[in-house]
Amino acid sequence: MNRVIKLFLFSLLFLIAAGQTAIADIIGTPSAAGYAWADSQDVEFGWIEISDGTVIGDVGDDNEVYTVNLPFTFEFYSQPFTTMYVSTNGFITFNDYGGNSFPSNDALPPNQAPDSLIAIFWDNLVLNGTENGQIYSKTIGTAPYRKHIIEWSNAQLNSSSGTLTFQIILYETTNLIKLQYLDLGSLLNDEIGRNATEGIRFENDVVEYGTNDPILSEGLAVLFFPLSNLSGT
């Protein structure tokens, strides 16, 4: 297991057992299904550049969806998946919606499409044509602790000229989900999440980090994980 993640989970166990803090103080409010989040207050940002990976989205792509086959089984809400669908609009899903890229975000109400959702910057994005906008996909590491990474590089909002670069990391075996933000343009409100959604949704369970709230920053890392991992690490 990644040493940083392992130390983080053990630290949570220690603090909770010692009565020094409440879970909600560190990891947000856990969902009914037992998922929670932690951000850069407790999770280290560690960008993994994968521009040498497979190009799945290319310059000028807009409202596109790409199918990615994972080399390992990723469990999301205890359901096994080996295929995911990547939208130019800043999210992945494990459900096939027939090419619907869902350019308009929502506030993650339960039981809505897209379901089985991991949103890192769900907004109406296009891959910038002058800054070589692309989406990359790559698996790194050694089984059973590999990572699969999806990187949006130089994506652009229709409302601004700045480019955005961020990535989702899926962890084999531990089923952790990490969001990382490298470049957020000129840090205008639109570029730091004023019209975007960040969070996860599976059927009637949601974990929201932010919706239509300019709270993102460069160097931010957000980790989503099942609380069961705290006792199983």
Side-chain angles (χ1 to χ4, degrees):
M1 179 185 297
N2 181 285
R3 182 173 178 272
V4 173
I5 301 299
K6 191 171 184 178
L7 287 174
F8 164 69
L9 293 173
F10 273 121
S11 297
L12 284 182
L13 278 174
F14 174 79
L15 291 172
I16 293 167
Q20 294 181 19
T21 186
I23 292 178
D25 291 335
I26 303 177
I27 58 177
T29 302
S31 72
Y35 267 77
W37 62 262
D39 62 14
S40 292
Q41 297 181 69
D42 304 287
V43 178
E44 183 178 11
F45 175 85
W47 185 259
I48 304 172
E49 182 53 52
I50 61 162
S51 53
D52 60 343
T54 301
V55 176
I56 59 172
D58 214 342
V59 172
D61 282 1
D62 187 15
N63 291 324
E64 297 288 344
V65 178
Y66 318 99
T67 301
V68 174
N69 293 316
L70 293 168
F72 56 82
T73 299
F74 184 79
E75 290 196 4
F76 188 55
Y77 283 83
S78 299
Q79 300 299 308
F81 296 99
T82 56
T83 303
M84 62 181 174
Y85 304 89
V86 180
S87 172
T88 50
N89 294 317
F91 68 85
I92 66 175
T93 177
F94 297 105
N95 282 358
D96 184 357
Y97 288 99
N100 189 341
S101 67
F102 294 94
S104 299
N105 72 316
D106 65 31
L108 298 180
N111 298 310
Q112 297 293 314
D115 189 39
S116 303
L117 170 75
I118 302 172
I120 182 168
F121 197 111
W122 182 12
D123 201 344
N124 192 1
L125 302 174
V126 62
L127 299 182
N128 185 278
T130 59
E131 298 292 336
N132 197 32
Q134 293 183 316
I135 299 177
Y136 303 107
S137 175
K138 186 178 181 179
T139 301
I140 64 172
T142 304
Y145 295 115
R146 290 170 289 182
K147 306 177 187 122
H148 192 85
I149 305 162
I150 299 294
E151 176 185 329
W152 288 256
S153 178
N154 293 321
Q156 184 179 16
L157 289 159
N158 290 327
S159 58
S160 68
S161 59
T163 57
L164 316 173
T165 298
F166 43 80
Q167 65 185 192
I168 295 175
I169 307 173
L170 304 182
Y171 290 77
E172 183 183 16
T173 301
T174 60
N175 302 305
L176 304 176
I177 301 161
K178 192 175 185 182
L179 317 181
Q180 298 199 119
Y181 301 84
L182 180 68
D183 184 4
L184 296 175
S186 302
L187 301 178
L188 301 175
N189 279 342
D190 284 359
E191 296 168 339
I192 59 174
R194 179 169 62 180
N195 299 305
T197 298
E198 308 85 39
I200 62 176
R201 172 167 59 200
F202 185 80
E203 297 179 349
N204 64 352
D205 195 76
V206 300
V207 182
E208 178 187 7
Y209 185 75
T211 299
N212 298 335
D213 192 2
I215 58 173
L216 303 178
S217 59
E218 294 176 343
L220 173 66
V222 182
L223 184 74
F224 294 92
F225 57 95
L227 286 174
S228 59
N229 277 5
L230 294 181
S231 59
T233 303

